[in-house]
Amino acid sequence: TAASGPGCATIPFMPSLLRAVSQLPAFRSSLAWLLGLGVVLFLRFPVNFTLYPPFCMDFETYRYTALRVRDGKAAQLYEPTTSERMVFKYAPCWAAALVPFGWLSDHAGAVLWSCLNVLWLLLTCWLSERLCRLLNLRAPPFLAVVAVLTLVRPITSEYLLGQADLLWGVLLVAFLYCEVTARPWWAALWLALAASLKLPALLWIPYLLLTRQGAVVLRTLAWLLTLNVIAAWLLLPAAPLGLFAAWPQALMTSGMTYAFDISNQSFMALAGRLLRNDHYGLNLLVLPDPAVAFLTVAIQALLFGALVLSRRLPIVSTSRLVLDGGLLMVFMVLFSPSGWLAT
């Protein structure tokens, strides 16, 4: 039907191309769709950025951090970078990982970062497809393309701003994939790196504890501590513990400053618009900020508790992994105090 539609009549090779893809074996068909998606993303972002130098606001923060580390100024790691608003908020291990960008020009670094973002998105799609196959779940080969098209606006913002959410996503999917394929230490490594990148990934820790998977937690915490202690010592040998004091302070300051910002799309920001006087006239009540924060955390705790208690329902294990994993991913995004369009 698609091949005979009016849109294909103007492109002579399109009907034969669609027939060829549809006749491929399922695995190869998925790779063909992913390859096509990768070509489109590569042309739209890295190639376009090569021709027209972009201003990737968040990547500028990462590069500024890399320059600080390169110049021996790691003591200033968690101080404002390009502006008072832009602060590096990730664990020391990611500051160390970003150092190579300090030796690249701003333009070259932005192009390379966009290439990596394309790779991470494609890896997320590929691992998700592999995960479905391992769990005997059937997914159409074009599902990855449909998912990207559904999320085209936030994904576009992700590339244009140079953010790290696609990296966060592939780390979390890799964690699930390694759990299913019985690679416990690799699974723990990916979860530890995800939590070091963005703390909401730690939502997996109480979930794993409450579902009696304490061994996963211990391995994750071992990786988390080891990676960041080594990184802090390499970055600031004279006072590595100072970075662990500055990191949470930067997180707290940034989180509280922008918790009720009008562009913030987190669960707490929504509660703020409904329950406090922010001068936009959308509120139903007028409560002090601490009360709004308390109610938000209480509702989030109830939602998380409902997820854990639902494990008592007679749902097959494959469906349980998909349901719990998907809902925890959503919770991680919404429960974070800072949730922007690209997130």
Side-chain angles (χ1 to χ4, degrees), residues 42 45-56 59-60 62-63 66-67 98-117 159 162:
F42 186 75
F45 297 106
V47 172
N48 189 47
F49 288 173
T50 301
L51 299 174
Y52 306 101
F55 175 71
C56 300
F59 173 73
E60 291 295 323
Y62 309 151
R63 185 171 178 275
L67 290 172
L98 289 169
V99 170
F101 287 95
W103 280 281
L104 296 175
S105 68
D106 191 17
H107 186 195
V111 172
L112 176 59
W113 187 255
S114 66
C115 288
L116 291 173
N117 264 330
Y159 283 102

Side-chain angles (χ1 to χ4, degrees), residues 188-209:
L189 172 62
W190 304 135
L191 183 56
L193 286 172
S196 298
L197 187 64
K198 290 180 180 280
L199 281 185
L202 288 176
L203 192 63
W204 277 96
I205 298 300
Y207 171 84
L208 292 168
L209 288 173

Side-chain angles (χ1 to χ4, degrees), residues 167-185:
L167 172 58
W168 196 44
V170 73
L171 290 171
L172 291 165
V173 175
F175 157 66
L176 286 175
Y177 180 80
C178 289
E179 273 292 295
V180 171
T181 54
R183 296 179 173 93
W185 281 101

Side-chain angles (χ1 to χ4, degrees), residues 7-58:
C8 293
T10 58
I11 307 177
F13 64 85
M14 186 60 73
S16 58
L17 178 62
L18 290 173
R19 281 195 297 271
V21 171
S22 65
Q23 291 169 4
L24 288 172
F27 179 69
R28 292 184 180 179
S29 182
S30 298
L31 289 180
W33 282 103
L34 278 181
L35 178 61
L37 176 63
V39 169
V40 172
L41 290 172
F42 186 75
L43 291 174
R44 171 62 181 87
F45 297 106
V47 172
N48 189 47
F49 288 173
T50 301
L51 299 174
Y52 306 101
F55 175 71
C56 300
M57 183 172 62
D58 289 81

Side-chain angles (χ1 to χ4, degrees), residues 185 213-223:
W185 281 101
Q213 300 179 70
V216 183
V217 175
L218 290 177
R219 286 190 289 267
T220 301
L221 294 178
W223 273 121

